[in-house]
Amino acid sequence: MLTAAYAIDRAGYWPRALTTDNGLDCPPLLEVSQALARRDYDQAIRSYTEVLAKTFSSRDAACLLRDRAHAREQISDTAGAEADWNEAIRISPTEARLYSSRGFFYLGQKHYDLALADFEHGRQIAPRNSAFPYGLGRTYASQGKLKDAVEAYSETIRLAPEMYTAFRWRAKAYRELHMDIEAARDDERAQALEKKFWDAVARTEPSKEK
């Protein structure tokens, strides 16, 4: 079933439901959820820290560190965010999702070599996870390596054929390569898939009618 859960993409958001990423889900934390809903990231960070002090599972700790890193990013604490991701990976080095998260963080910081290293390492752990070729494509495109970007987006689409953002970014790369026919085809496909996705999300949401 499609859900409205999101994973962070540095140019906005891309629906995790469209990827082959199974995710790394944290235990539900009411105080954190309420703080994030208010965009009170400082309170969310404090709540994560309190829970981490009582957490014994390495998987839960890694998940909480990852989510605290995202909250730290929101207040521009990039050093703290990187430290949290590094610690999460230290204690749970085989969790592929952590490399995806840190890779997009490095991409956002324009640390392209570090981003590529994380996406490549994550792909070795989870070769059928579409987040990694997608991240590689975004990074190659940022470096101006458009042919490499197209190849990576094509791999993403092979793994996750309804991931409309991959079509959209491949269209952009095609356009910059002056391959206008291919770009137009991908733009059309992206538009159709995005509509299909949000229509499905709308059908799964509770009705607001009384």
Side-chain angles (χ1 to χ4, degrees), residues 9-197:
D9 175 331
R10 302 309 165 206
Y13 293 88
W14 50 277
R16 187 197 299 172
L18 295 181
T19 76
T20 51
D21 185 352
N22 291 327
L24 175 62
D25 296 321
C26 292
L29 302 172
L30 179 59
E31 289 186 6
V32 169
S33 297
Q34 292 173 339
L36 292 176
R38 300 192 305 270
R39 299 189 178 182
D40 186 350
Y41 299 110
D42 289 305
Q43 179 57 53
I45 290 167
R46 287 192 293 271
S47 296
Y48 281 130
T49 301
E50 290 173 3
V51 175
L52 278 163
K54 306 171 186 176
T55 299
F56 298 98
S57 161
S58 60
R59 183 179 173 84
D60 283 350
C63 183
L64 293 165
L65 284 163
R66 179 204 63 191
D67 287 359
R68 189 173 68 177
H70 285 313
R72 290 190 191 279
E73 273 195 280
Q74 297 298 322
I75 61 171
S76 300
D77 179 10
T78 55
E82 184 175 17
D84 277 352
W85 267 305
N86 291 346
E87 178 62 11
I89 287 172
R90 186 192 69 79
I91 64 178
S92 194
T94 59
E95 281 290 352
R97 174 96 180 135
L98 297 175
Y99 295 95
S100 171
S101 295
R102 192 175 66 175
F104 279 108
F105 166 74
Y106 283 139
L107 174 58
Q109 297 300 309
K110 299 183 179 181
H111 298 322
Y112 299 131
D113 289 343
L114 294 173
L116 289 173
D118 270 356
F119 293 135
E120 286 286 7
H121 189 79
R123 183 162 67 169
Q124 291 175 16
I125 297 172
R128 298 194 60 79
N129 186 328
S130 60
F132 296 113
Y134 179 74
L136 288 170
R138 293 295 308 280
T139 308
Y140 288 138
S142 296
Q143 293 178 308
K145 300 177 180 178
L146 298 175
K147 291 183 180 179
D148 289 337
V150 166
E151 184 177 342
Y153 293 139
S154 297
E155 174 65 8
T156 305
I157 290 165
R158 187 184 71 79
L159 293 171
E162 296 199 352
M163 187 176 175
Y164 60 82
T165 49
F167 282 98
R168 183 162 295 140
W169 283 99
R170 191 173 68 174
K172 184 176 186 297
Y174 275 141
R175 196 168 294 108
E176 293 179 15
L177 288 167
H178 307 291
M179 299 173 67
D180 293 337
I181 294 175
E182 291 84 352
R185 182 183 61 211
D186 274 3
D187 277 334
E188 183 178 353
R189 185 64 175 151
Q191 184 176 0
L193 287 172
E194 182 175 14
K195 182 179 185 303
K196 178 182 177 182
F197 174 78

